[in-house]
């Protein structure tokens, strides 16, 4: 039997196992984070018999890039990029992706499918989520400077919300 190699008193096999466990925890955390954004949005899509959104790392990087641009002021200013985009801001630090997604989904009560219009309140975040042709999503969040709160951004592809077109 070959002698085992040691790294700082730990066998190479144990070190490899520890690295694998750390990687798995990171994967679980990343998957959980993605699901926090996607589960409520895909549940709304399922109620309308629409295909679920898939996570897209490219869209998540874009969302993170834009959220980082808004970190200093937490302003709800859209990036005007090539994707559909939902933004959510909450004061304080205790906001979750689920709360952001549910905030956008709460606009469903303001959307009238038959007239394809919003009542007095906004509903464009909701219609982006349930846009039939949208297939992928990527999201991010930042804690804003100076205690200004938390900003969430989700980007969607293909984008939705075309004037005069029903979302589904």
């Amino acid at each position: 039997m070959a002698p085992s190699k040691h790294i700082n008193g730990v066998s190479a096999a144990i070190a490899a196992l520890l690295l694998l466990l750390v990687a798995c925890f990171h994967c679980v955390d990343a998957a959980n984070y993605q699901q926090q954004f996607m589960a409520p949005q895909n549940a709304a899509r399922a109620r309308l018999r629409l295909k679920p959104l898939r996570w897209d790392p490219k869209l998540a990087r874009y969302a993170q890039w834009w959220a980082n641009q808004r970190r200093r002021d937490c302003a709800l200013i859209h990036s005007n990029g090539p994707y559909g985009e939902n933004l959510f801001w909450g004061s304080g630090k205790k906001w979750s992706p689920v709360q952001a997604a549910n905030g956008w989904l709460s606009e469903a009560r303001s959307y009238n499918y038959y007239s394809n219009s919003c009542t007095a309140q906004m509903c464009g975040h909701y219609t982006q989520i349930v846009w039939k042709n949208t297939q992928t999503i990527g999201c991010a969040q930042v804690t804003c400077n100076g205690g200004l709160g938390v900003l969430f951004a989700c980007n969607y592809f293909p984008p939705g919300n075309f004037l005069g077109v029903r979302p589904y």
Side-chain angles (χ1 to χ4, degrees):
M1 178 150 84
S4 64
K5 296 183 180 183
H6 285 73
I7 303 169
N8 293 334
V10 177
S11 77
I14 293 174
L17 180 61
L18 289 172
L19 287 173
L20 179 62
L21 286 172
V22 168
C24 284
F25 283 128
H26 174 72
C27 293
V28 169
D29 288 345
N32 180 46
Y33 179 73
Q34 294 167 9
Q35 280 305 111
Q36 286 185 51
F37 282 110
M38 291 179 20
Q41 296 183 67
N42 280 334
R45 291 177 64 86
R47 285 191 293 276
L48 297 169
R49 296 189 174 113
L50 299 171
K51 291 181 182 178
L53 298 171
R54 295 181 323 275
W55 189 262
D56 182 336
K58 178 181 175 183
L59 292 176
R61 284 190 300 274
Y62 184 88
Q64 189 66 62
W65 169 80
W66 184 246
N68 287 339
Q69 304 306 304
R70 304 276 30 113
R71 183 186 300 267
R72 72 184 182 290
D73 59 11
C74 236
L76 294 173
I77 298 171
H78 285 278
S79 67
N80 296 316
Y83 309 115
E85 186 170 72
N86 283 347
L87 302 174
F88 177 94
W89 170 81
S91 64
K93 294 181 181 178
K94 298 193 181 216
W95 290 92
S96 71
V98 170
Q99 290 172 306
N102 285 334
W104 297 321
L105 290 166
S106 72
E107 296 176 1
R109 65 180 166 261
S110 298
Y111 178 66
N112 182 313
Y113 179 82
Y114 299 102
S115 66
N116 192 33
S117 63
C118 301
T119 59
Q121 294 192 1
M122 192 180 330
C123 68
H125 300 102
Y126 167 73
T127 56
Q128 174 56 78
I129 291 168
V130 297
W131 199 264
K132 182 179 182 175
N133 295 334
T134 297
Q135 300 172 9
T136 57
I137 183 175
C139 304
Q141 73 183 71
V142 294
T143 301
C144 298
N145 297 344
L148 293 175
V150 180
L151 179 74
F152 295 88
C154 282
N155 289 97
Y156 304 83
F157 185 80
N161 287 340
F162 293 100
L163 194 59
V165 180
R166 282 191 171 86
Y168 52 87

